[in-house]
Amino acid sequence: MPRKAILRFATVAAAAGALWVGRTLWAGQRLPVAAPMVVNTAYDEQADTLEWGETLSDLLARHNIVGQELYRVLAAANAIDPRRVKAGQVFQFRYVLHEPAPHRITVRLGNAELLRLERDSTIGWRAESETIGWAVERQIVEGTVRSSLYETVDELIPSAVLPAQERARLIWDLADGVFGWVIDFTRDNYEGDAFQIVFERLTSDLGDVRFGRILAVKLETRGTENAAYAMTDDAGRNVYYDAEGHSLRRAFKLYPAEFRRISSGFSRSRFHPILRRNRAHLGIDYSAGAGTPIMATGDGTVVRAGRWGSYGIVVAIRHPKGIETRYAHMSKIERGIRAGVRIRQGQRIGYVGMTGLATAPHLHYEFIKNGRHVDPRSAVRFGEGDPVAKARRAEFDSLKTHYDHLFDPPAVAPSPIVAGMD
């Protein structure tokens, strides 16, 4: 467009605007006036993480909190033990723009508590604790096993319902916390097996999403239907019962650690990758990351804790009825675990490593009955669990009826694979 045309258009527009203003004022009307802009103090939020090998003082020094100022911050933060702050802990720092040091520090003390440290002109620093609220809702996921139950459940639950890490927690809880005494998911599940799982989804005031617990399950394994219904015991722990009201707990758990895969099974003759010859492999090797916690599979008494030849660092536990379990190739033993100590099922006894004759981090687990090694995967399912206490039988029957109705509702329009229920 020629320059003359642009100027002419601007002039006409300006004249029209002046005419409108004049008429408006002549009519006695007031022009709209915008609210005054108020500029608050601008802030800069920075998150920082305690790295491996660092102290809390190192992290605070990165934010110009040193000397007497460091002492004041630590004195105010008496809910934090600086020696016990773990690597990976996240701290949030708020700065007034152009100020060299923060005026507020926020850190989570757990899932339910937030600590705020704020600079105070009179006392230096003050601390306030804030409770984090969590809302609970029920969800149901159902489907049929394709490649594996783990992969199928992981694929069916959207990330918007549970993040990947929380889906992994749900799947491990299903395998270990619910059916960890009676079903071996590495070999008992087949393609086409149907399942329904009712679970809790937790959301916090801060926008966190977590898996809560499994409430009820119906699951086929090799054509057999298995059921589990959650109740709580006197200590507030989850206890799961089958459809007849018998506890799914047994004297021994199948899995001593959360693992990626079974790298070697029980065998009377196996080619040893280090010795380069065939010899018996009288246990199961669970491939897992170094440092993965190892749990006792049953109640008993420690009879050995320390280095033992090709086992490397090992813990051996004696159980009733002539049974002993061994946990080998540990990186280290849990503090307080030594010969003569009583152990409870599920208690942490050490951590996965590769000491002794091992080529990669894994747990070598053995099950010995009356002096003879047996395959743990076929030896630990003994009888049936204890029945629901008579005083709580009516409670169990009511829960079972409620969840069975959710599993098999009256015929209505198809529901989504994953659906909220609250």
Side-chain angles (χ1 to χ4, degrees):
M1 182 184 292
R3 180 177 178 81
K4 186 180 294 184
I6 295 175
L7 292 175
R8 185 165 52 247
F9 173 79
T11 302
V12 171
L19 180 61
W20 179 83
V21 171
R23 287 179 176 174
T24 302
L25 291 174
W26 187 259
Q29 299 178 15
R30 298 186 62 185
L31 290 174
V33 178
M37 293 182 61
V38 178
V39 179
N40 294 317
T41 304
Y43 298 109
D44 178 26
E45 296 278 357
Q46 297 182 19
D48 203 350
T49 305
L50 189 70
E51 305 293 343
W52 287 101
E54 280 192 325
T55 65
L56 181 56
S57 299
D58 294 330
L59 182 143
L60 294 174
R62 281 204 296 275
H63 296 269
N64 297 314
I65 298 176
V66 294
Q68 287 298 314
E69 193 75 351
L70 173 64
Y71 173 78
R72 295 187 187 100
V73 169
L74 296 179
N78 54 16
I80 300 176
D81 184 346
R83 297 167 298 179
R84 295 186 178 274
V85 180
K86 296 181 179 180
Q89 178 72 62
V90 177
F91 290 75
Q92 193 79 20
F93 297 87
R94 173 181 276 194
Y95 288 79
V96 175
L97 279 187
H98 311 303
E99 290 290 329
H103 80 102
R104 177 188 291 176
I105 305 169
T106 306
V107 60
R108 290 183 69 154
L109 300 182
N111 291 322
E113 188 178 3
L114 200 68
L115 179 68
R116 297 186 191 278
L117 301 167
E118 193 150 0
R119 191 191 303 273
D120 189 296
S121 58
T122 57
I123 61 173
W125 287 82
R126 57 183 172 84
E128 290 183 356
S129 181
E130 179 182 328
T131 299
I132 301 171
W134 288 86
V136 182
E137 61 183 28
R138 290 178 300 174
Q139 301 276 333
I140 183 167
V141 58
E142 55 188 8
T144 56
V145 176
R146 292 190 288 273
S147 54
S148 73
L149 180 66
Y150 302 96
E151 293 179 7
T152 304
V153 172
D154 185 58
E155 291 172 1
L156 286 178
I157 300 178
S159 294
V161 174
L162 283 180
Q165 185 175 353
E166 297 302 309
R167 295 198 299 273
R169 286 185 59 222
L170 183 155
I171 294 167
W172 178 248
D173 192 40
L174 177 69
D176 184 67
V178 180
F179 293 112
W181 298 264
V182 294
I183 297 177
D184 186 345
F185 284 96
T186 64
R187 62 179 183 179
D188 290 344
N189 247 173
Y190 281 82
E191 191 166 342
D193 284 346
F195 63 88
Q196 296 173 294
I197 305 169
V198 181
F199 64 94
E200 289 178 340
R201 174 179 181 263
L202 310 180
T203 55
S204 79
D205 297 337
L206 303 179
D208 304 307
V209 178
R210 297 181 62 235
F211 160 68
R213 62 172 177 153
I214 291 173
L215 297 172
V217 182
K218 278 195 176 180
L219 169 71
E220 288 182 0
T221 53
R222 302 189 181 191
T224 299
E225 185 176 274
N226 305 274
Y229 304 91
M231 296 183 72
T232 54
D233 62 14
D234 295 338
R237 297 170 300 188
N238 293 327
V239 181
Y240 293 90
Y241 293 90
D242 64 18
E244 285 70 46
H246 290 100
S247 173
L248 293 174
R249 289 180 180 269
R250 301 292 189 271
F252 291 91
K253 273 196 166 186
L254 287 162
Y255 308 131
E258 189 170 351
F259 62 96
R260 300 186 182 120
R261 63 187 177 88
I262 292 177
S263 52
S264 290
F266 183 91
S267 174
R268 297 292 175 184
S269 179
R270 183 201 69 156
F271 183 75
H272 197 282
I274 295 179
L275 300 177
R276 311 300 296 175
R277 60 182 174 83
N278 287 329
R279 75 169 189 171
H281 186 254
L282 303 177
I284 296 178
D285 288 350
Y286 292 98
S287 176
T292 299
I294 299 169
M295 313 297 182
T297 54
D299 297 344
T301 303
V302 176
V303 293
R304 182 186 290 268
R307 288 193 173 269
W308 187 12
S310 62
Y311 283 122
I313 298 175
V314 64
V315 169
I317 302 174
R318 183 178 61 241
H319 308 274
K321 300 182 179 180
I323 295 172
E324 180 181 321
T325 54
R326 295 175 184 170
Y327 313 77
H329 305 314
M330 292 183 177
S331 59
K332 66 177 180 178
I333 295 171
E334 179 74 359
R335 182 179 300 176
I337 302 299
R338 59 185 180 279
V341 170
R342 289 282 301 163
I343 296 294
R344 302 182 311 277
Q345 185 180 77
Q347 183 175 341
R348 184 179 300 180
I349 58 174
Y351 303 86
V352 170
M354 53 183 295
T355 55
L357 285 180
T359 57
H362 73 280
L363 168 64
H364 176 78
Y365 173 62
E366 294 182 357
F367 195 94
I368 303 161
K369 186 173 173 112
N370 297 324
R372 182 174 180 271
H373 285 79
V374 294
D375 186 347
R377 302 172 76 186
S378 59
V380 300
R381 287 175 262 192
F382 301 129
E384 62 183 20
D386 296 332
V388 175
K390 289 183 180 180
R392 302 189 68 186
R393 182 70 205 200
E395 179 188 352
F396 170 77
D397 290 339
S398 177
L399 279 171
K400 180 177 181 299
T401 300
H402 172 70
Y403 287 117
D404 285 348
H405 179 75
L406 293 179
F407 288 138
D408 300 302
V412 291
S415 58
I417 290 178
V418 176
M421 296 160 53
D422 288 338

